[in-house]
Amino acid sequence: MELLSDVVVVDLTRALAGPHAGMMLGDLGARVIKVETPAGGDDSRGWGPPFVEGESTYFLSANRNKESVTADLKSDEGKELLTKLVRKADILLENFRPGVLDRLGFSVERLHELNPGLIVVSITGFGHDGPEGGRAGYDQIAQGEGGLMSVTGEAEPTKVGVPIADLLAGMYGAYGALAALHERSVTGKGRVVRTSLLAAMVGVHAFHGTKWTVAGQVPGRIGNHHAQIAPYGMFRTADDSVQVAVGSEGQWRTFAPIVGLDPADPRFATNADRVGNRDELIAAIETAFAAAPADKWLETLAEQGIPAGKVRDIQQVYEWEQTLSQGLLIDVEHPTLGNIQLPGPPLRFDDQPYAGAREKNIAPPRLGEHDASVRAWLDE
């Protein structure tokens, strides 16, 4: 089952947001042709260390299920190649700064002259218009400008440990592409889908956003605890930390006696009370938790139906039986590295035991690996 097996994607993107969008479509079975400059290819091919036999592990993380063809889009030959690709494509992904594709001779109008059904997904740093629409965008800049760092961390603003602005912009781009693809099945016409790193950040403000827009309060940082639910966060035990999420009053009435508290204590009787007296509550819970190791507390909390968990490092996650049972790691045959394991697609469909929608996943390509095969296909 390959849900998008009849879809051709031309991926002009580099770094992470656009490549992530292309990888998501590739995971669903689309043929994704990644167009790279002959002079080094995607910037992320040089991002590291670590490099394994010259291959960047960063590049490997964002480019599975794609083919690579090289072209200098400033040259006549490169423009001819892209013209042929556009005529055969269903979706084109680009994350150039606004105006770059126009200067190359491939404005939206020109793209739709070549292929009226083409869906163009354009990802920028701060949007396509507005007073700062032309700014270059990188993930950490967007995390700061987009407010995410202001609500992350403790003493000072802190970035998320993964490039979340890039990843979310890529996800939104793929999401928009699929909506436009569905519309085209009705109208026969393509359209332009636009998103940005800034839009992705604002799009996931969630309750922090409405705290300002509705209540007029500027959210701040509270570290590893929830801004509007308590107790909900990370707590120290005798030997390690555990995470506990008490998300309802029923769970509170079960949890409180476990840590020696009276659920009707007026300081903690309702969630609003507990949020208002969070510091006292955390201190009381950690005093109780200090009496036993983390594993013992996790066992007790599980027996009582209280959501709780460990804080695992990446190795522990990838070795965890639950991760393995969900098909979240895939094996691919890389032309240089041989058989390697990659974090896999995050979707499972009901008729298959593995993640994604391809019967066989494709390793991230070497630069220009598919030059000959793609050009032969274009000339058919």
Side-chain angles (χ1 to χ4, degrees):
M1 178 193 71
E2 296 195 355
L3 300 179
L4 300 182
S5 60
D6 60 340
V7 173
V8 174
V9 179
V10 175
D11 183 356
L12 302 182
T13 68
R14 68 271 186 231
L16 187 55
H20 190 72
M23 185 171 69
M24 290 183 67
L25 297 170
D27 288 344
L28 295 176
R31 182 179 188 181
V32 181
I33 299 171
K34 183 177 179 72
V35 181
E36 302 184 73
T37 172
D42 188 322
D43 296 337
S44 68
R45 288 186 183 274
W47 289 356
F51 298 96
V52 180
E53 295 186 29
E55 299 290 337
S56 162
T57 59
Y58 194 112
F59 178 85
L60 295 176
S61 76
N63 289 284
R64 63 176 178 259
N65 293 323
K66 299 181 186 180
E67 301 167 60
S68 171
V69 61
T70 55
D72 177 2
L73 297 183
K74 295 179 181 178
S75 71
D76 291 342
E77 181 184 358
K79 293 179 193 295
E80 181 182 1
L81 176 76
L82 182 55
T83 297
K84 290 179 178 180
L85 284 168
V86 166
R87 286 184 170 135
K88 286 202 172 191
D90 298 286
I91 299 169
L92 180 141
L93 304 174
E94 66 95 2
N95 64 348
F96 295 110
R97 290 174 67 172
V100 170
L101 206 55
D102 298 47
R103 292 194 293 275
L104 290 171
F106 292 94
S107 65
V108 168
E109 293 76 18
R110 176 58 179 156
L111 291 170
H112 281 151
E113 285 176 8
L114 294 169
N115 182 348
L118 184 69
I119 293 155
V120 180
V121 178
S122 185
I123 303 173
T124 58
F126 293 89
H128 292 73
D129 48 21
E132 300 187 47
R135 286 180 65 183
Y138 280 85
D139 176 82
Q140 186 160 339
I141 306 301
Q143 286 196 39
E145 292 274 29
L148 192 64
M149 289 174 65
S150 76
V151 294
T152 306
E154 294 182 349
E156 62 181 24
T158 304
K159 73 179 182 67
V160 177
V162 297
I164 195 70
D166 278 327
L167 296 172
L168 288 171
M171 290 174 66
Y172 282 131
Y175 165 70
L178 294 177
L181 197 63
H182 173 73
E183 180 193 46
R184 193 189 69 175
S185 71
V186 177
T187 67
K189 296 181 180 180
R191 69 158 60 240
V192 180
V193 177
R194 292 190 171 104
T195 190
S196 67
L197 305 191
L198 173 62
M201 292 293 83
V202 176
V204 295
H205 282 170
F207 55 85
H208 287 302
T210 51
K211 185 173 184 178
W212 164 249
T213 62
V214 179
Q217 299 176 26
V218 179
R221 296 178 298 281
I222 56 170
N224 290 317
H225 290 273
H226 198 291
Q228 291 169 263
I229 307 173
Y232 191 118
M234 190 169 76
F235 300 88
R236 292 184 294 270
T237 71
D239 65 343
D240 204 348
S241 293
V242 297
Q243 306 227 73
V244 180
V246 177
S248 71
E249 297 304 332
Q251 289 177 344
W252 168 247
R253 288 190 290 273
T254 300
F255 175 77
I258 295 172
V259 292
L261 294 173
D262 177 1
D265 184 321
R267 296 173 298 168
F268 310 134
T270 69
N271 181 68
D273 295 326
R274 295 190 293 276
V275 170
N277 295 289
R278 185 196 318 276
D279 290 346
E280 287 181 76
L281 179 62
I282 291 172
I285 292 171
E286 291 193 332
T287 296
F289 276 2
D295 284 346
K296 178 61 178 175
W297 282 113
L298 290 171
E299 180 182 340
T300 299
L301 293 168
E303 289 172 352
Q304 297 300 317
I306 300 299
K310 300 178 179 180
V311 179
R312 300 175 189 265
D313 64 26
I314 297 296
Q315 178 180 345
Q316 291 169 333
V317 172
Y318 286 6
E319 293 176 348
W320 188 18
E321 186 58 37
Q322 185 61 26
T323 301
L324 300 175
S325 76
Q326 300 306 299
L328 295 175
L329 297 175
I330 59 172
D331 291 296
V332 296
E333 196 66 29
H334 190 275
T336 301
L337 303 177
N339 185 268
I340 58 173
Q341 195 170 65
L342 300 173
L347 293 173
R348 283 176 77 184
F349 296 91
D350 58 358
D351 61 346
Q352 60 194 42
Y354 49 85
R358 304 185 75 102
E359 293 184 6
K360 183 177 181 181
N361 287 288
I362 302 170
R366 292 175 300 173
L367 179 61
E369 180 180 345
H370 303 94
D371 276 340
S373 59
V374 168
R375 283 174 165 80
W377 169 69
L378 289 174
D379 290 336
E380 287 177 357

